[in-house]
Amino acid sequence: TQLVQNVLLGGGISVSNVTFTGGSEMRGTFEGISNLGIDTGLILATGDIAVAIGPNTYTSHSDGGGVAGDSQLDALVGGGTQDAAVLEFDFVPSSDTIRFFYVFGSEEYPEYVCSEFNDVFAFFLSGPNPLGGNYNNVNIAKIPGTNIPVAINSINPGVAGSSGFGTCTSLAYSSLYNNNASGTTIEYDGFTDVLEASANVIACSTYHIKIAIADVSDGAYDSGVFLKAKSFSSPAVGITAVGSTFDSTMVEGCGYATYTFTRGGDLSNPFTINYLIQGDAINGIDYTDLAGNPIASSVTFPAGQSSVDLNIDPVNDAIAEPTEQIKLSIPQVISCIDDTLSATIYITNVDPMTIDLSGDTVICVEEG
């Protein structure tokens, strides 16, 4: 539960009923600069996770394990598995998508490419399918743009290994493979690029995911899957407001207020949020952006950025009027887990200063 809640879990998802099957040495966390492309996260392995620690000084390292396989992984590869590490839990997404990022590595690379020793892992998803029916243990760990499960026999150097038998799933995805023969930080002989697992879901419904990895045909030559920290998310957006004085209030002519938009999920591409401008304050008259223009009806997140600010400047029109409101709402996002989908800023008048002179006092020069 601690590994899921504090390490794997990102925004927009609540989890429950966390279980793990396998030896305690087969699960844990990793942290540090490496050539994996992921610096922090959760690791599951077919043996002791300490095997993953570099430098790469072995071609066939394995340690620990010794537990049973998994029947669903058996069905996926059409053969017997051993040393299964299985993490599973229920979750509720706050938007229409879930995603997380991972790297698969193995000591079976590269010698056993195209062999029966096709160590396997899968992310089995169960729950309502937005297109109808249900996901029933559907594996979402697939090569991008294909329906091919990620494995040694599908992502590899592009040639059969020295102990391979020519029974590969594919040799066409070598661009997603990294040869780690001289690696200084990771022991596994090879591993994939950072890959994304994702699925379309129904917001606020309950799902189950099973993250599993196992040795195939024998218990030797360990494999591991690295799950990026905070990446298991349902990338809803949010909006909050902070005024120039306190809470969400600003005073005409006295500084500016800020709306902050946030997003989760994959940050690798720019993303635009459209919003509704509501309230009785008039855009371009009662308030503007900092350049004096009416505020736009959208904001764009640059690639790699999870938040963006929209600054609001209240116009000092010197007119006595009631407190006015600016409300920005994001109607297209469905949310059910404490995500704010609208925020309001209030504009108040400048209170004029008054001076009352009374009780004149005469001061003589000599008494100054």
Side-chain angles (χ1 to χ4, degrees):
T1 299
Q2 184 271 337
L3 288 176
V4 174
Q5 292 279 11
N6 298 341
V7 181
L8 181 60
L9 195 62
I13 289 184
S14 64
V15 302
S16 60
N17 302 322
V18 181
T19 63
F20 177 78
T21 304
S24 60
E25 79 282 4
M26 301 167 72
R27 69 181 192 267
T29 62
F30 65 94
E31 180 177 358
I33 303 301
S34 73
N35 55 339
L36 276 176
I38 300 176
D39 294 337
T40 308
L42 184 157
I43 177 174
L44 303 179
T46 62
D48 194 325
I49 61 172
V51 168
I53 301 172
N56 181 16
T57 55
Y58 300 87
T59 59
S60 57
H61 195 18
S62 58
D63 187 27
V67 298
D70 179 83
S71 59
Q72 288 179 319
L73 292 177
D74 290 346
L76 194 65
V77 296
T81 60
Q82 302 179 40
D83 300 333
V86 182
L87 177 67
E88 49 190 316
F89 51 89
D90 297 327
F91 68 91
V92 177
S94 66
S95 75
D96 61 0
T97 306
I98 61 153
R99 54 170 54 101
F100 57 101
F101 298 92
Y102 67 96
V103 168
F104 171 67
S106 180
E107 287 288 87
E108 302 282 6
Y109 285 125
E111 300 94 325
Y112 290 94
V113 172
C114 298
S115 79
E116 63 183 301
F117 304 108
N118 184 29
D119 286 3
V120 62
F121 77 101
F123 307 139
F124 294 114
L125 179 67
S126 299
N129 186 334
L131 298 179
N134 291 283
Y135 297 117
N136 184 17
N137 291 309
V138 173
N139 178 27
I140 62 172
K142 298 177 180 179
I143 295 174
T146 78
N147 206 33
I148 302 173
V150 174
I152 290 165
N153 285 349
S154 60
I155 294 182
N156 47 59
V159 295
S162 58
S163 298
F165 311 122
T167 56
C168 259
T169 305
S170 176
L171 295 173
Y173 298 99
S174 59
S175 63
L176 301 176
Y177 172 79
N178 298 278
N179 180 359
N180 192 48
S182 58
T184 61
T185 57
I186 303 297
E187 165 59 38
Y188 296 138
D189 293 339
F191 48 80
T192 69
D193 283 355
V194 178
L195 302 173
E196 177 184 348
S198 65
N200 294 324
V201 293
I202 298 174
C204 309
S205 297
T206 299
Y207 290 82
H208 184 83
I209 193 164
K210 176 179 177 178
I211 302 171
I213 186 169
D215 286 324
V216 176
S217 296
D218 66 9
Y221 295 28
D222 287 352
S223 297
V225 60
F226 300 84
L227 308 173
K228 184 177 180 179
K230 306 299 182 183
S231 70
F232 190 80
S233 63
S234 184
V237 298
I239 179 174
T240 57
V242 177
S244 57
T245 54
F246 60 91
D247 295 332
S248 56
T249 302
M250 57 183 177
V251 178
E252 290 182 358
C254 296
Y256 59 86
T258 302
Y259 284 102
T260 297
F261 298 84
T262 57
R263 64 164 171 165
D266 183 7
L267 306 182
S268 60
N269 295 307
F271 180 66
T272 298
I273 292 178
N274 298 298
Y275 51 82
L276 299 177
I277 303 173
Q278 302 167 313
D280 53 8
I282 301 174
N283 187 13
I285 296 178
D286 294 314
Y287 60 93
T288 66
D289 62 20
L290 296 188
N293 302 312
I295 67 169
S297 58
S298 66
V299 294
T300 298
F301 294 85
Q305 191 166 314
S306 62
S307 67
V308 64
D309 291 339
L310 171 65
N311 296 316
I312 304 290
D313 188 10
V315 176
N316 186 3
D317 55 16
I319 300 174
E321 52 195 347
T323 297
E324 299 166 304
Q325 299 180 18
I326 312 166
K327 182 179 180 180
L328 302 188
S329 301
I330 309 171
Q332 74 270 33
V333 176
I334 301 171
S335 180
C336 52
I337 309 176
D338 298 327
D339 288 319
T340 301
L341 299 179
S342 66
T344 302
I345 286 176
Y346 299 90
I347 304 175
T348 63
N349 291 315
V350 177
D351 292 330
M353 178 183 294
T354 59
I355 300 175
D356 182 19
L357 298 177
S358 62
D360 293 346
T361 300
V362 177
I363 301 176
C364 296
V365 176
E366 292 82 4
E367 298 175 352

